[in-house]
Amino acid sequence: MTTIGAAKVMVALLVAPGLLAACGGSSSGKTSLGTTSSPPPATGAPAAGTPQTSGASDTSTSCATADLKVSLGQSGAAAGTFYQRVDFRNTGTQPCTLTGYPGVSFADDSGHQVGVDASRNPANASTTVTLSPGSTAYANLGVPDWGNFPAGSCSAANATMLRVYPPNQRDSVLVPDAQKVCTTTNGRPSITAVQPAA
């Protein structure tokens, strides 16, 4: 074998492992409804009814759904939108944290989703809220008035429940919340990041 031929063989042997490594890869994920798991949605385009994670790298102290009481708080309306506070109270015995956006969607009596899930509203910055036992954080849910849309562009339907995934959690809670909502993206609800209650 010539010197040039040997050199070509050596280059091929050195490059091949790199190519193999570049082609390798794996992916895994579990799907869920209710109390099982679901892969986190892509930022800005969450899958219907799934939790929206904040991207925090350390979730070891994140508030678990089982340690939170989720309820509806103060409400109001402005500029054709109904606003509803979604409260998260730490019912556990240890402090825990909430960071980012909850996953929120409307549902019927059977728990089936009505319309599209809430988009992320960047009205307030995403920060980490530490909840001591008994303390509360909240996010604001905005629901456009279905009556402000032409019937064909809104396709309003009656919902009886609100499905809420706390930030960084894959288990949801159903909260009674009967109202008529748009089922298209034209009247899509929105949710802010969690913030500490005053």
Side-chain angles (χ1 to χ4, degrees):
M1 180 178 291
T2 67
T3 302
I4 293 174
K8 287 181 179 178
V9 170
M10 290 298 292
V11 169
L13 291 174
L14 291 172
V15 171
L19 291 175
L20 290 174
C23 294
S26 64
S27 61
S28 62
K30 295 182 278 185
T31 57
S32 84
L33 289 174
T35 58
T36 52
S37 16
S38 291
T43 302
T50 58
Q52 300 179 41
T53 60
S54 67
S57 58
D58 180 9
T59 58
S60 59
T61 61
S62 291
C63 298
T65 302
D67 290 329
L68 292 170
K69 177 175 177 54
V70 181
S71 59
L72 301 181
Q74 299 174 344
S75 62
T81 300
F82 175 74
Y83 292 96
Q84 179 75 62
R85 200 170 104 160
V86 181
D87 289 338
F88 301 89
R89 182 166 63 88
N90 181 3
T91 59
T93 59
Q94 299 294 324
C96 61
T97 60
L98 290 174
T99 307
Y101 296 83
V104 177
S105 60
F106 285 98
D108 61 19
D109 286 334
S110 300
H112 297 125
Q113 185 164 324
V114 175
V116 295
D117 54 304
S119 63
R120 295 180 178 188
N121 180 350
N124 58 290
S126 175
T127 59
T128 296
V129 180
T130 300
L131 293 179
S132 57
S135 63
T136 301
Y138 72 96
N140 278 319
L141 174 67
V143 183
D145 184 348
W146 64 271
N148 291 336
F149 297 88
S153 70
C154 172
S155 300
N158 292 315
T160 58
M161 301 279 187
L162 193 65
R163 183 181 292 280
V164 181
Y165 288 88
N168 298 308
Q169 298 302 306
R170 298 179 184 277
D171 293 339
S172 66
V173 175
L174 283 170
V175 181
D177 186 17
Q179 60 178 298
K180 196 169 187 177
V181 297
C182 288
T183 60
T184 66
T185 55
N186 288 328
R188 188 177 187 179
S190 64
I191 190 74
T192 65
V194 292
Q195 51 196 303

